[in-house]
Amino acid sequence: MNETFNIAIPNLIIFVTLLIIPILIFRWLKLPLVKKLLIAAGRMILQLSLVALYLEYIFKLDYLLVNFAWIIVMILAANITILSQSGLRFSKLFWVTFPSYIITTATVIAAFLIVFPANVISHSRYLIPLGGMLLGNLLRSNIVGMERFYSSLRERRSEYVQYLSLGATRTEAVMPFLRQAYKASIAPQIGGLATIGLVSLPGMMTGQILGGSSPAVAIKYQIMIMIAIFLTVNLSVLLSLLLSSAHAFDNFDRLKEDIYK
Amino acid sequence: MLELKKLTVKKDAKTILNKIDFSCNEGEKVLIYGPSGSGKSTFLHSLLFFEPIYSGSIQFNGKKIGEHNIKDYRKNFVFIGQKAPNFQGKAEDFICLPFTFKNNKFSKPEQVVVEKILHEFNFSDNVLENNYENLSGGEQQRLCIIQALLLNKKIFLLDEITSNLDAENTHIVIDKILQDPKRTVISVSHDAHWRNKDMKQYILAAGELKNE
């Protein structure tokens, strides 16, 4: 198949200026979103350009250790975002969430060996995009899970105390909260599995088809990545909730206040 | 049996309980009342170390309670709050919930015991089949109290447990709880029904506990 058509920079710039249309709409509706949009679009372009620079370099180098280092950097970035967006203090919980995400990512990447030979998956052009998709989903679902778990424990403290006073161990008393937070973070993923392909073609599949793959190859990748993402989300949310909750209480089973920002 | 020595509890630098001395013997029935916001709930929570103790100590059967023996200490108590907790499932599952915990696994009551106590609380047997969430607040609260009674703990800590009940049920609940001479009860309430009972009464105000 042909090489993907390369978009010319001037044409891309003209395309970006189409943003003037939503800006005019914002003006007309008197929505104070123009500044926000400009900053967000600027960040999008800057971040993607930087990533392109890195990736060009990393793909050329294609050195296994560098690939893994890159994955670890992505995990770190995801971890920082998860804790800050869920209102938790980085310095208190990083040491338990980071290993949770590392273990999860390592497990799922190891599982890729079922479908890829080791010398294929270890190439940066496989490892890094696939890893990125896993971590993007890990990020979103863990924000929901951590935020829900810790805010409900704080808001419904009396319920937690009631369970303890009925003889529950700390793990037993925390379980109803964990179950709810887990469900909140996983349910959208199950919904996503059920509707994929109906409403929109998934990004990865679109990318592959544009890149010249046949739809038959593309759907096999898509099925694999969906399962991998689902596995990632489940493992990471469970591990980080279990491990962090072991650190979030003092020796009297009281929730530590200093884990919150 | 239970002895507090100069117990001080602070929240955000505000003193809630100020050097409280208190003691109570096995089987004793204690009522604590006072203006709302005077720290009555904090007092009960502090007894179980659910609030950080700023200074002072709690002794149980002559032993000072701390990190090392907190779990065994808490096993003597059951705490009932003002409002029944959220729970999804049948009323029967709710009553049995504590017996799904490891600590209580072997003390699960027989069906006849559960039915007897339900009757004493003016419930019919088929209440067990109802969805807990569909019951009224008062019914849920009475189930909480039944749940606690079935656990058979030595000491009951009660935080305004009758504030959502009508007069008839309030009487039933209070009489049932005070009935057992061996049971120790520490109840916090400003309900007159409790005041008329034969209980040792204290007033908690401005962080200080005064004997009536």
Side-chain angles (χ1 to χ4, degrees):
Chain A
M1 290 220 185
N2 298 331
E3 180 97 342
T4 313
F5 177 79
N6 194 357
I7 299 173
I9 298 272
N11 301 60
L12 183 63
I13 292 172
I14 296 170
F15 198 79
V16 168
T17 58
L18 288 177
L19 280 179
I20 195 77
I21 297 170
I23 288 175
L24 288 175
I25 298 175
F26 291 166
R27 279 274 163 82
W28 184 62
L29 291 174
K30 295 198 169 61
L31 291 176
L33 291 176
V34 177
K35 203 174 150 195
K36 254 193 181 161
L37 171 69
L38 289 177
I39 293 174
R43 275 189 61 165
M44 185 253 308
I45 292 167
L46 182 73
Q47 287 166 4
L48 288 178
S49 313
L50 284 177
V51 166
L53 281 179
Y54 286 136
L55 288 189
E56 281 277 340
Y57 181 71
I58 286 179
F59 281 12
K60 248 182 221 141
L61 191 70
D62 200 2
Y63 182 61
L64 190 61
L65 274 181
V66 176
N67 294 346
F68 277 118
W70 180 252
I71 297 261
I72 287 172
V73 169
M74 288 199 288
I75 295 176
L76 196 62
N79 200 349
I80 292 170
T81 316
I82 290 165
L83 290 177
S84 80
Q85 300 249 339
S86 38
L88 298 167
R89 204 173 285 225
F90 183 76
S91 59
K92 298 285 170 188
L93 290 175
F94 170 73
W95 305 107
V96 281
T97 50
F98 192 61
S100 309
Y101 305 149
I102 293 272
I103 293 169
T104 302
T105 315
T107 309
V108 177
I109 288 177
F112 280 142
L113 291 173
I114 300 171
V115 283
F116 294 111
N119 62 356
V120 172
I121 184 67
S122 58
H123 276 311
S124 50
R125 59 176 276 244
Y126 288 87
L127 193 60
I128 287 173
L130 291 175
M133 290 188 73
L134 300 183
L135 289 167
N137 285 276
L138 180 148
L139 173 77
R140 253 170 287 148
S141 49
N142 277 274
I143 291 174
V144 176
M146 292 292 268
E147 200 279 330
R148 188 65 72 89
F149 183 67
Y150 285 102
S151 66
S152 68
L153 261 179
R154 183 141 79 163
E155 280 157 21
R156 290 163 30 218
R157 177 174 176 271
S158 61
E159 227 171 289
Y160 165 74
V161 167
Q162 180 102 13
Y163 288 130
L164 284 184
S165 74
L166 290 172
T169 60
R170 192 189 65 220
T171 316
E172 287 167 332
V174 149
M175 213 27 103
F177 299 92
L178 193 142
R179 210 179 283 130
Q180 280 176 16
Y182 196 79
K183 193 177 158 204
S185 61
I186 300 302
Q189 294 283 338
I190 297 182
L193 285 180
T195 54
I196 200 141
L198 282 182
V199 184
S200 62
L201 281 185
M204 176 161 156
M205 204 172 142
T206 312
Q208 276 187 300
I209 292 173
L210 285 176
S213 297
S214 76
V217 172
I219 66 137
K220 282 190 273 181
Y221 271 82
Q222 190 62 43
I223 291 172
M224 177 203 70
I225 193 72
M226 295 296 284
I227 302 294
I229 286 171
F230 197 62
L231 211 62
T232 305
V233 166
N234 277 272
L235 285 178
S236 60
V237 173
L238 183 69
L239 277 178
S240 63
L241 287 183
L242 283 179
L243 291 181
S244 70
S245 73
H247 268 252
F249 297 88
D250 65 15
N251 293 334
F252 290 100
D253 293 335
R254 296 181 294 232
L255 189 61
K256 289 182 196 161
E257 272 301 314
D258 64 357
I259 60 163
Y260 297 98
K261 265 199 296 212
Chain B
M1 179 177 58
L2 185 63
E3 194 173 7
L4 276 57
K5 286 182 181 159
K6 293 200 171 10
L7 190 78
T8 300
V9 173
K10 295 186 178 191
K11 266 186 194 171
D12 304 325
K14 193 176 166 242
T15 304
I16 310 289
L17 303 174
N18 191 12
K19 295 184 186 153
I20 289 194
D21 288 312
F22 169 84
S23 68
C24 118
N25 295 318
E26 194 169 342
E28 209 169 325
K29 313 287 189 270
V30 174
L31 177 66
I32 296 169
Y33 62 97
S36 54
S38 61
K40 299 191 296 289
S41 301
T42 307
F43 177 73
L44 291 184
H45 276 158
S46 307
L47 289 182
L48 291 173
F49 289 80
F50 290 138
E51 294 291 343
I53 308 289
Y54 180 78
S55 64
S57 69
I58 297 181
Q59 292 197 354
F60 187 73
N61 290 336
K63 281 188 195 122
K64 194 175 175 215
I65 306 304
E67 278 176 23
H68 61 288
N69 52 9
I70 182 69
K71 292 208 163 69
D72 286 329
Y73 167 74
R74 280 186 186 152
K75 282 181 189 158
N76 297 293
F77 294 86
V78 67
F79 172 91
I80 310 175
Q82 184 172 6
K83 200 178 152 284
N86 296 329
F87 179 78
Q88 286 170 347
K90 281 197 266 177
E92 183 171 17
D93 303 329
F94 180 73
I95 287 191
C96 294
L97 176 74
F99 304 102
T100 64
F101 301 148
K102 264 181 255 151
N103 289 331
N104 308 321
K105 231 187 204 159
F106 301 107
S107 49
K108 194 171 168 35
E110 307 223 357
Q111 190 65 23
V112 281
V113 179
V114 177
E115 280 169 14
K116 184 167 167 271
I117 197 165
L118 280 171
H119 291 162
E120 287 170 350
F121 276 75
N122 268 342
F123 278 117
S124 58
D125 290 345
N126 57 22
V127 70
L128 292 176
E129 291 303 311
N130 286 343
N131 246 332
Y132 174 83
E133 283 172 312
N134 296 338
L135 299 174
S136 73
E139 288 171 318
Q140 291 181 348
Q141 180 68 356
R142 279 149 63 214
L143 288 180
C144 274
I145 295 161
I146 292 175
Q147 195 187 45
L149 284 165
L150 288 170
L151 273 172
N152 244 334
K153 299 283 182 171
K154 278 191 201 144
I155 309 170
F156 276 50
L157 302 179
L158 312 173
D159 188 2
E160 301 275 7
I161 60 163
T162 52
S163 61
N164 291 319
L165 301 183
D166 57 35
E168 189 197 349
N169 282 311
T170 300
H171 271 296
I172 296 174
V173 164
I174 297 178
D175 288 343
K176 185 72 192 164
I177 284 175
L178 297 181
Q179 189 184 49
D180 185 344
K182 277 202 285 188
R183 180 181 297 140
T184 309
V185 176
I186 303 176
S187 173
V188 150
S189 179
H190 52 248
D191 188 334
H193 289 100
W194 289 92
R195 297 281 297 276
N196 300 330
K197 299 289 170 185
D198 180 23
M199 298 176 82
K200 196 169 177 185
Q201 308 203 356
Y202 294 86
I203 306 176
L204 183 65
E208 301 198 12
L209 193 66
K210 290 196 185 99
N211 206 328
E212 174 78 321

